[in-house]
Amino acid sequence: MSDQTRDASTSAAELVGRAADGDHAAWRALIRRYELMVDAVVHCHGLAGQDAEDARQTVWCRLAEHLDDIRSPERIGSWIARTTHRESARQARLARRARALEAGEGARLLDPVDHRTPESEFLRAEEDRGVREAIAAIEEPERTVLALDLHRPGAPAAEVADCTGLALEEVASVRRRARRRLLRLLRGSDAVDV
């Protein structure tokens, strides 16, 4: 049996316990299990390049720092999702500040040729921003479900359940409810979801 096959059948709580005890293989298995979710959440906040990498590394550092303090190791996916949302939002704020400082100090004199039109880029950025803001306005676990759907369409229900802490049988209904809520937010509807 390969390491990845064995890791997939190991519970999250067991991996957390082994990693806390210094088992490097368990630590790598935790990262493999949740890295796609972390990437999806980071991307959902509009981070790219070095900013995205900084957010990812901070999440894993926070996990390493708090591995012994995790009260519910079976819900480590939810903990990682919340931490990723917080760190990504923080990194996005830092990136905006840095860009504002650079712009104020007189940015580059020569920019590379860009054949995209300002109008098309503006519209695309506005759409992306609108979707990110709408997802950010939705509560957990629906926010993480939407982030996974956005950046990993068709993710298996078991993976979604593991990342969000939902029971496997709840995933389909939470996905539907989250998509309806997102659609209403994007359309500007004030309807209340029941």
Side-chain angles (χ1 to χ4, degrees):
M1 180 184 308
S2 74
D3 286 344
Q4 287 186 350
T5 305
R6 185 174 49 244
D7 293 342
S9 65
T10 305
S11 74
E14 184 180 337
L15 287 175
V16 169
R18 287 180 22 214
D21 290 337
D23 183 341
H24 295 291
W27 176 251
R28 285 189 301 274
L30 276 172
I31 292 173
R32 271 195 307 272
R33 184 172 290 185
Y34 296 106
E35 68 186 338
L36 288 174
M37 178 195 56
V38 169
D39 288 346
V41 172
V42 165
H43 188 73
C44 190
H45 281 270
L47 297 175
Q50 192 60 47
D51 294 328
E53 190 57 34
D54 286 348
R56 283 186 205 97
Q57 286 179 1
T58 302
V59 168
W60 299 122
C61 286
R62 293 277 184 274
L63 179 59
E65 290 169 3
H66 297 286
L67 207 52
D68 293 329
D69 306 330
I70 304 286
R71 281 185 242 134
S72 301
E74 67 280 357
R75 295 184 46 86
I76 191 68
S78 297
W79 186 95
I80 292 171
R82 281 190 312 276
T83 302
T84 306
H85 280 291
R86 277 194 306 270
E87 291 303 325
S88 296
R90 187 181 70 76
Q91 189 62 43
R93 281 191 308 273
L94 291 172
R96 281 192 302 272
R97 286 184 199 148
R99 283 193 301 272
L101 285 174
E102 287 174 4
E105 295 173 1
R108 301 174 295 271
L109 295 176
L110 296 175
D111 287 329
V113 175
D114 188 353
H115 298 286
R116 296 170 293 187
T117 67
E119 295 83 8
S120 68
E121 285 303 297
F122 175 78
L123 291 174
R124 187 188 59 75
E126 283 297 303
E127 276 181 8
D128 290 351
R129 185 184 57 75
V131 171
R132 283 194 307 274
E133 285 176 358
I135 289 174
I138 295 173
E139 297 295 321
E140 288 295 346
E142 293 164 347
R143 178 177 24 194
T144 300
V145 168
L146 288 169
L148 284 168
D149 278 354
L150 184 62
H151 299 288
R152 188 155 153 61
E159 184 178 320
V160 173
D162 195 34
C163 291
T164 59
L166 292 169
L168 188 59
E169 58 274 4
E170 293 177 301
V171 171
S173 64
V174 171
R175 266 184 169 156
R176 282 191 303 274
R177 187 173 60 239
R179 288 173 182 166
R180 284 193 310 263
R181 205 169 265 157
L182 177 62
L183 190 57
R184 274 197 305 275
L185 283 172
L186 291 174
R187 288 181 177 165
S189 170
D190 295 348
V192 177
D193 190 26
V194 269

